[in-house]
C-alpha cells in the first residue's frame, strides 16, 4: 500500500456548512480518516476571489469555470457586507469532523486577510491572527489545537519563527517533497513540517489536464512522489466535485493508495532533515508560496 496524507482545507462558511458534511459522509463510506484544516474567523473569501480577477485569472476562470466551481455566493462573501464568522455559524460541522475521528487543525482566522497581507502585517498583527484562530478553534474543540496550515501556503521564514510560540506538534505550511524540520532564525530546528507534494485541482485542471483526466493524473502524481500529501478543498471536492472525489477514492483503492491523516503519515515517516523555508512561485497559482529548502525549488513543476 502506498500511503498518502489527505488534507482537507476549509476556507469559507459555505465550505464548512455544506462541503464538510458531504465530505464526512464520503470519508465514512470509505473508512478514511483525514486531517481537516479549518478557518474560523470572518468569511471574506469573496474579496479574495475578486481581487484576483485580472486578465490572466479571467482566462483561467474561463478554462476551469470558476464561477460554477465555487458558486456565486462564495464569490460574493464579504464583498458587500462584513464577512460572517465561520466558527460561530458552523460549530456543528467542525464538531462533527472531530467526532468522526478526523484530525482537526487551524487553517486561519481570516483566510483572505492572511493571503492578501502576509507581507504587510507586522509581527504583532500576524501573531494576533494566529492567536485568535488558535483560541477560537481550541474553544470549539474543547482541547488545544495541535497542528496548523498557513492559508494559500503563504509561509516564509517569519511565519515559521512566529508559529514556534504555539508549540504545534507539526505544521503543513509549505510545498516540498519530504518531511523536514524548518530552520528558525536563531538556527534551531522548529516544529516538524509536512509539506504538500501533490498539486491541487485548481492548479492543474484547465492547464496540465482536463477535468476528466484529473483523477488518473493525481493517482500518477501520488505514485511518483516518495512522500505524498494531497490537498482537497471543502469548497470544491465537498460541493461541485464531490462525485468525482468519491470516484478518486475508488481509484485509490484499485491502485493500492491508502489515504491517512497527516499525523499518521508523520508517525510512518518522521523528518530526518533540517532545511530552510523560502518564497517561490508555483505554476497555476498567483504570487508566491512557501517552499521547502533550496534543493526543492526546481521541483516547482509536476
Ligand atoms: Zn485555504
Amino acid at each position: 500500500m502506498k500511503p498518502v496524507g489527505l488534507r482537507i482545507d476549509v476556507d469559507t462558511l459555505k465550505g464548512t456548512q455544506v462541503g464538510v458534511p458531504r465530505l464526512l459522509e464520503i470519508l465514512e463510506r470509505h473508512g478514511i480518516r483525514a486531517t481537516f484544516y479549518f478557518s474560523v474567523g470572518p468569511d471574506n473569501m469573496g474579496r479574495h476571489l475578486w481581487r484576483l480577477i485580472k486578465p490572466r485569472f479571467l482566462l483561467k476562470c474561463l478554462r476551469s469555470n470558476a464561477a460554477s466551481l465555487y458558486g456565486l455566493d462564495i464569490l460574493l462573501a464579504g464583498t458587500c457586507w462584513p464577512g460572517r464568522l465561520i466558527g460561530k455559524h458552523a460549530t456543528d460541522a467542525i464538531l462533527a469532523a472531530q467526532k468522526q475521528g478526523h484530525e482537526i487543525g487551524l487553517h486561519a482566522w481570516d483566510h483572505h486577510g492572511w493571503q492578501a497581507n502576509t507581507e504587510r502585517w507586522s509581527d504583532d498583527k500576524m501573531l494576533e491572527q494566529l492567536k485568535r484562530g488558535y483560541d477560537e478553534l481550541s474553544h470549539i474543540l474543547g482541547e488545544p489545537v495541535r497542528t496548523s496550515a498557513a492559508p494559500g501556503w503563504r509561509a516564509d521564514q517569519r511565519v515559521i519563527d512566529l508559529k514556534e510560540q504555539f508549540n504545534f506538534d507539526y505544521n503543513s505550511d509549505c510545498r516540498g517533497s519530504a518531511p523536514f524540520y524548518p530552520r528558525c532564525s536563531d538556527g534551531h530546528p522548529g516544529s516538524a513540517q509536512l509539506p504538500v507534494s501533490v498539486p491541487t485541482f485548481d492548479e492543474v485542471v484547465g492547464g496540465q489536464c482536463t477535468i476528466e483526466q484529473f483523477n488518473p493524473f493525481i493517482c500518477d502524481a501520488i505514485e511518483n512522489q516518495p512522500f505524498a500529501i494531497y490537498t482537497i478543498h471543502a469548497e470544491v471536492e465537498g460541493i461541485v466535485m464531490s462525485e468525482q472525489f468519491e470516484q478518486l477514492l475508488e481509484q485509490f483503492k484499485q491502485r493500492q493508495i491508502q489515504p491517512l491523516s497527516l499525523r499518521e503519515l508523520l508517525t510512518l515517516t518522521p523528518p530526518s532533515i533540517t532545511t530552510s523555508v523560502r518564497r517561490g512561485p508555483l505554476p497555476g497559482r498567483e504570487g508566491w508560496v512557501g517552499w521547502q529548502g533550496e534543493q526543492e525549488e526546481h521541483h516547482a513543476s509536476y
Side-chain angles (χ1 to χ4, degrees), residues 21-33:
R22 194 170 305 164
L23 286 172
L24 290 177
E25 278 172 37
I26 295 173
L27 295 172
E28 186 67 18
R29 265 201 293 280
H30 292 262
I32 291 168
R33 297 287 173 270

Side-chain angles (χ1 to χ4, degrees), residues 9-11 107 111 151-152 233:
D9 287 11
V10 193
D11 300 350
H107 199 25
H111 193 292
H233 286 87

Side-chain angles (χ1 to χ4, degrees), residues 49-292:
L49 294 166
W50 285 113
R51 201 179 60 90
L52 290 177
I53 294 187
K54 39 186 99 161
R56 227 180 103 208
F57 181 73
L58 203 60
L59 205 68
K60 192 183 161 193
C61 255
L62 292 172
R63 278 201 314 246
S64 71
N65 206 358
S68 66
L69 189 59
Y70 289 103
L72 261 187
D73 42 354
I74 287 182
L75 287 168
L76 292 172
T79 48
C80 313
W81 54 89
R84 288 197 289 163
L85 295 176
I86 301 170
K88 294 269 175 298
H89 288 90
T91 316
D92 291 354
I94 298 171
L95 288 173
Q98 181 192 38
K99 199 169 162 209
Q100 204 173 295
H102 299 284
E103 182 181 24
I104 311 292
L106 175 66
H107 199 25
W109 172 254
D110 179 351
H111 193 292
H112 159 71
W114 185 286
Q115 269 184 298
N117 300 304
T118 323
E119 294 131 84
R120 276 183 286 265
W121 278 346
S122 65
D123 289 2
D124 284 349
K125 174 76 183 170
M126 195 166 264
L127 272 176
E128 184 216 318
Q129 285 276 320
L130 285 165
K131 181 139 178 38
R132 287 182 88 168
Y134 177 88
D135 288 348
E136 172 73 3
L137 187 56
S138 299
H139 174 72
I140 291 170
L141 298 175
E143 61 188 19
V145 180
R146 302 305 320 152
T147 177
S148 74
W153 294 278
R154 289 264 180 177
D156 54 13
Q157 183 67 55
R158 186 164 74 116
V159 172
I160 297 292
D161 287 338
L162 291 175
K163 277 198 177 185
E164 278 305 294
Q165 301 186 25
F166 293 84
N167 276 317
F168 291 117
D169 295 338
Y170 74 92
N171 296 306
S172 182
D173 290 321
C174 59
R175 308 297 281 247
S177 57
F180 69 101
Y181 293 107
R183 192 172 290 112
C184 295
S185 295
D186 64 5
H188 288 93
S191 302
Q193 282 285 341
L194 297 188
V196 170
S197 57
V198 176
T200 63
F201 184 90
D202 62 309
E203 285 165 6
V204 291
V205 165
Q208 294 184 54
C209 67
T210 62
I211 287 189
E212 293 73 28
Q213 294 163 338
F214 180 73
N215 283 348
F217 178 95
I218 281 302
C219 291
D220 291 347
I222 289 169
E223 284 172 353
N224 290 336
Q225 292 289 343
F227 172 81
I229 293 186
Y230 175 52
T231 306
I232 65 169
H233 286 87
E235 289 74 19
V236 179
E237 284 85 350
I239 305 180
V240 278
M241 287 294 139
S242 63
E243 272 181 44
Q244 186 162 338
F245 175 63
E246 188 148 20
Q247 289 160 11
L248 178 66
L249 296 182
E250 293 292 344
Q251 293 185 21
F252 279 178
K253 219 171 282 170
Q254 287 157 16
R255 293 176 67 156
Q256 307 258 305
I257 296 170
Q258 177 62 55
L260 304 169
S261 71
L262 270 53
R263 183 172 297 274
E264 288 173 293
L265 191 66
L266 175 65
T267 309
L268 280 180
T269 50
S272 56
I273 49 171
T274 301
T275 74
S276 59
V277 169
R278 54 185 64 226
R279 297 178 184 181
L282 174 63
R285 233 165 235 290
E286 291 286 322
W288 59 271
V289 299
W291 278 97
Q292 171 185 9

